[in-house]
Amino acid sequence: MTIRSAMVLAAGLGTRMRPITERIPKPLVEVDGKPLIAYGLEALGSAGLDTIVVNVHYLADKLEAWLSDSGYAVTIADERAELLDSGGGIVNALAELGSEPFVVINADTFWLEDPQATAENITRLIEIWNPAEMDIALMTARPDQATGFDGKGDFVADDSGRLQRYRGEGDPLIYAGALVIDPAIFGTGRPAKFSLNACFNEAIERRRLHGMPMAGLWLTVGTPEAIGEAEAAMHAYRSGNAP
């Protein structure tokens, strides 16, 4: 099926990135000379997604001003009055996103594509989407593909790509900040503020959460100190010296 819409989750407070985020929202923090959000917008544009919604809350005026000058055609989902968390933020934007499946990405994580891959990651994620079997399809990364991740892992996959929560057994996978979701999973009666993790758990219970292994290098930049680490990893990857 054709997927043309996407949402960028950009409303977070970025508290771990202080003092930088005392003056700019985290999506505008620069890594290797480019704001974090720009990496995601470029990936969405390259995949041909032409309806893009960005939610805003913290230092919203600054993020809106950058988006207005960026050349990207985006619609703003305003959460100035109340931060709605990841799930609530998406539900708040459904009028713009529509009733068909769409892509969601985080504004503060990004990746470098594998130049040897047959297609870029968002395109591959859309291509594996199968509404007969999936409520949500997540892009996943192995820990050895990731820079800046300090967790134990999020999921494990079976041979068909179906995901379960990682409980210390099997090969851990990281949720790499991009997904395709069928908005029907939100149903009705949700609280105004809730996390997407609730939807992940519901899809797991129905055996309808699937993963798509990414190709390339995935990066998350949680603190000011992590910026230099990410830039060094990016330069090594581009030069072919990454592990």
Side-chain angles (χ1 to χ4, degrees):
M1 67 180 301
T2 301
I3 294 176
R4 303 302 298 270
S5 300
M7 181 163 187
V8 183
L9 297 175
L13 300 175
T15 53
R16 293 178 61 219
M17 191 59 78
R18 291 175 179 164
I20 298 174
T21 49
E22 291 174 359
R23 56 183 177 82
I24 58 172
K26 187 177 180 184
L28 296 186
V29 172
E30 290 195 357
V31 177
D32 202 34
K34 186 186 300 183
L36 287 167
I37 193 172
Y39 290 96
L41 290 171
E42 288 176 0
L44 297 176
S46 184
L49 297 163
D50 51 18
T51 298
I52 299 176
V53 180
V54 180
N55 66 341
V56 299
H57 172 74
Y58 177 66
L59 297 178
D61 291 348
K62 291 189 175 183
L63 184 52
E64 279 199 78
W66 184 90
L67 290 166
S68 178
D69 294 337
S70 69
Y72 291 99
V74 303
T75 299
I76 299 298
D78 197 328
E79 294 180 31
R80 283 176 171 84
E82 182 182 17
L83 186 60
L84 299 175
D85 208 337
S86 52
I90 296 172
V91 170
N92 183 56
L94 286 180
E96 288 78 27
L97 291 164
S99 60
E100 297 298 319
F102 51 81
V103 172
V104 179
I105 66 169
N106 294 340
D108 58 356
T109 61
F110 66 105
W111 59 91
L112 300 185
E113 301 286 348
D114 180 351
Q116 305 301 318
T118 57
E120 294 184 353
N121 284 299
I122 294 293
T123 297
R124 292 175 52 239
L125 183 62
I126 291 171
E127 288 174 347
I128 68 104
W129 173 255
N130 181 354
E133 298 181 359
M134 305 174 187
D135 290 333
I136 307 172
L138 305 180
M139 186 172 81
T140 62
R142 304 183 312 271
D144 65 343
Q145 290 177 287
T147 295
F149 180 77
D150 56 7
K152 296 180 179 179
D154 302 310
F155 299 99
V156 291
D158 65 16
D159 292 341
S160 69
R162 189 178 291 113
L163 298 178
Q164 295 280 340
R165 292 286 184 181
Y166 176 63
R167 306 294 186 192
E169 297 182 358
D171 296 325
L173 297 170
I174 301 163
Y175 166 47
L179 59 83
V180 174
I181 190 166
D182 183 345
I185 196 172
F186 296 118
T188 58
R190 299 263 183 190
K193 182 187 299 186
F194 71 96
S195 170
L196 262 179
N197 271 301
C199 298
F200 294 170
N201 291 337
E202 292 162 15
I204 288 171
E205 290 177 4
R206 292 195 287 265
R207 297 173 58 81
R208 291 177 60 86
L209 183 71
H210 284 248
M212 189 280 297
M214 67 161 292
L217 176 68
W218 183 75
L219 302 105
T220 181
V221 183
T223 65
E225 295 74 21
I227 295 174
E229 177 185 354
E231 291 174 338
M234 293 167 71
H235 296 163
Y237 183 80
R238 287 168 175 155
S239 66
N241 295 323

